[in-house]
């Protein structure tokens, strides 16, 4: 376990090339350290930092990656305007004593001539993929590339991106990737809004309306706790909360937590998932019931 005191943050080593990151990981491996990996797209917030803290607790050498991955964005999505703030990110990572940061360029990760992609099956097909075709192909591809460059013992992801966590588990199982996947709880603002790098896009009015996502999920949990088992009835009431707030619903679903198959009746563990546009900003959230 890492025993550095929190009072002496040192700047993490920042590398931008695949050769450098391989070299530093190989060195950490030689000294027998347990390596934790936290992949991110930067614009870090407390949700990301919770993953870093989990990595620091479990591992002896923590690597964070910062890369806004173009292959997971659709042609009309926010790749260009996605928030980027490397200096602030590095300060936050330094305060948590991260050992190594890998922040490559697009050309470094996708040199001319790279044409191979990872397609994950059924679990990648519903929900997010309806609005974002090809999204998980891009996610799985970049995550596998990061796993190959940074052969960590454990990789940390957030439940915030619930379907993504299943896609990555499926890929790791199917392709025999020797890495343990940990999924950490959703970190929320005090009023319940799930933290997201995209929340900075919201105007004050949109920020208020965005609360309807977490409110609809809380309502679902309350209805189930109160004995409601009819998924249709629960979804109707969740949609009402979202409609009343004037957000544009992409989907509201109650699904099996491992397969994402929709459930008609709540009989066992179930996950409620929502995606909605608030103005021009697309937000997602979920809750296990
Ligand atoms: P991103 O930078 O959006 O690609 O997110 C990087 C990682 O942080 C992913 O595994 C996300 O699921 C996770 N993450 C993002 N927001 C949160 C949050 N509010 N709580 C917990 N994890 C999160």
């Amino acid at each position: 376990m890492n025993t550095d005191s929190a009072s002496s943050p040192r700047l993490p080593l920042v590398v931008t090339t695949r050769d450098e990151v391989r070299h530093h990981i190989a060195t950490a491996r030689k000294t027998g350290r347990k390596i934790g990996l936290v992949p991110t797209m930067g614009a870090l917030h407390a949700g990301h930092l919770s993953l870093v803290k989990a990595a620091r607790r479990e591992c002896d050498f923590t690597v964070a990656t910062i890369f806004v991955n173009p292959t997971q964005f659709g042609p009309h999505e926010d790749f260009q305007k996605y928030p980027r703030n490397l200096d602030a990110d590095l300060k936050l990572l330094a305060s948590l004593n991260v050992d190594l940061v890998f922040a490559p360029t697009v050309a470094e990760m996708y040199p001319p001539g790279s044409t191979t992609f990872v397609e994950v099956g059924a679990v990648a097909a519903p929900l997010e993929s309806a609005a974002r075709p090809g999204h998980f192909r891009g996610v799985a591809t970049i995550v596998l590339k990061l796993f190959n460059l940074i052969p960590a013992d454990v990789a940390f992801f957030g439940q915030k991106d619930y379907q993504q966590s299943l896609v990555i588990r499926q890929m790791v199982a199917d392709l025999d990737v020797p890495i343990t996947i940990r999924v950490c709880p959703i970190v929320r603002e005090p009023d319940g809004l799930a933290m997201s790098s995209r929340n900075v896009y919201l105007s004050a009015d949109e920020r208020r309306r965005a609360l309807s996502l977490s409110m609809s999920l809380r309502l679902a949990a309350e209805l189930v706790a109160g004995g409601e088992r009819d998924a249709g009835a629960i979804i109707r009431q969740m949609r009402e909360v979202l409609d009343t707030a004037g957000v544009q619903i992409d989907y509201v679903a109650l699904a099996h937590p491992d397969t994402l198959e929709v459930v008609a009746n709540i009989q066992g563990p179930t996950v409620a998932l929502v995606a909605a546009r608030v103005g021009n900003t697309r937000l997602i959230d979920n809750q296990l019931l």
Side-chain angles (χ1 to χ4, degrees):
M1 276 296 174
N2 205 322
T3 54
D4 298 344
S5 85
S7 60
S8 58
R10 55 199 156 74
L11 275 181
L13 186 62
V14 183
V15 298
T16 58
T17 67
R18 290 170 292 164
D19 282 350
E20 287 169 300
V21 79
R22 279 191 200 281
H23 166 78
H24 289 289
I25 296 300
T27 305
R29 271 242 166 278
K30 273 192 210 121
T31 56
R33 297 205 267 176
K34 184 172 179 179
I35 298 172
L37 170 63
V38 182
T40 82
M41 299 205 297
L44 301 182
H45 51 67
H48 298 113
L49 301 185
S50 74
L51 308 184
V52 173
K53 287 176 190 164
R56 289 269 300 147
R57 277 196 298 276
E58 185 174 346
C59 302
D60 315 297
F61 188 89
T62 300
V63 190
T65 67
I66 296 177
F67 180 62
V68 185
N69 173 38
T71 64
Q72 71 189 68
F73 288 79
H76 304 295
E77 292 185 357
D78 57 345
F79 174 69
Q80 293 300 341
K81 72 161 188 170
Y82 194 84
R84 291 164 171 86
N85 196 343
L86 187 60
D87 288 346
D89 289 347
L90 293 180
K91 284 194 184 111
L92 288 169
L93 295 172
S95 73
L96 296 180
N97 287 322
V98 163
D99 297 282
L100 180 65
V101 176
F102 180 46
T105 61
V106 171
E108 179 67 16
M109 290 309 282
Y110 297 105
S114 71
T115 56
T116 304
F117 286 86
V118 179
E119 293 272 5
V120 174
V123 88
L127 302 174
E128 283 300 287
S129 291
R132 310 187 71 188
H135 170 65
F136 287 125
R137 177 183 192 253
V139 168
T141 302
I142 194 64
V143 170
L144 184 62
K145 283 168 70 68
L146 291 172
F147 286 176
N148 284 331
L149 290 169
I150 304 167
D153 297 280
V154 190
F156 296 82
F157 293 88
Q159 188 198 315
K160 162 76 178 14
D161 298 275
Y162 191 90
Q163 189 175 9
Q164 169 176 283
S165 71
L166 294 185
V167 165
I168 288 161
R169 281 191 193 286
Q170 182 80 43
M171 175 187 76
V172 161
D174 290 350
L175 300 183
D176 304 305
V177 184
I179 191 161
T180 300
I181 304 299
R182 295 256 184 275
V183 179
C184 302
I186 302 175
V187 176
R188 298 180 178 282
E189 301 286 356
D191 62 4
L193 180 70
M195 290 199 179
S196 163
S197 303
R198 290 189 169 97
N199 290 349
V200 299
Y201 298 150
L202 301 171
S203 69
D205 176 57
E206 289 168 347
R207 170 69 182 75
R208 272 191 295 279
R209 292 192 283 132
L211 251 196
S212 60
L213 278 80
S214 58
M215 280 168 54
S216 72
L217 293 166
R218 262 205 315 277
L219 173 63
E222 282 163 17
L223 289 169
V224 171
E228 181 62 77
R229 293 291 175 266
D230 177 6
I234 296 168
I235 288 171
R236 259 194 309 282
Q237 294 181 67
M238 293 175 72
R239 294 186 81 101
E240 231 171 77
V241 171
L242 295 159
D243 286 338
T244 304
V247 306
Q248 193 196 323
I249 299 171
D250 254 6
Y251 59 77
V252 176
L254 298 187
H256 188 284
D258 300 328
T259 63
L260 292 185
E261 282 165 22
V262 293
V263 299
N265 267 293
I266 314 249
Q267 278 154 351
T270 303
V271 61
L273 307 114
V274 297
R277 272 166 227 280
V278 188
N280 291 324
T281 305
R282 187 170 181 281
L283 299 176
I284 58 173
D285 200 351
N286 68 85
Q287 184 164 329
L288 287 161
L289 303 178

